[in-house]
Amino acid sequence: MCPDCDDFARTVLLLGQLALYADMLGADDDFIEAVGPSLAASLPEPPPGTFPPGYDPADGPDYPGDPS
């Protein structure tokens, strides 16, 4: 297994758990706002084979509110 695969999987799992926590009644919004971006920024490069060859995450549709 690649050296960053465990870190990537663990961080994605934590992001998923944070998303579930955010949907709970009484979730601490300050905690979510502090931890979410930190977890996302700590994601290592995805393991090889996660995305198809030539995949560009920046190439996609414009989202509402984003400049064209």
Side-chain angles (χ1 to χ4, degrees):
M1 187 180 274
C2 67
D4 290 334
C5 290
D6 287 338
D7 289 340
F8 183 81
R10 186 178 307 112
T11 305
V12 168
L13 177 67
L14 288 170
L15 282 166
Q17 290 174 336
L18 183 65
L20 290 173
Y21 171 71
D23 283 340
M24 291 177 55
L25 185 62
D28 183 349
D29 291 334
D30 291 335
F31 174 78
I32 295 163
E33 289 178 20
V35 173
S38 300
L39 277 174
S42 71
L43 273 172
E45 287 292 319
T50 302
F51 299 107
Y55 174 78
D56 181 5
D59 183 30
D62 291 333
Y63 292 95
D66 285 349
S68 298

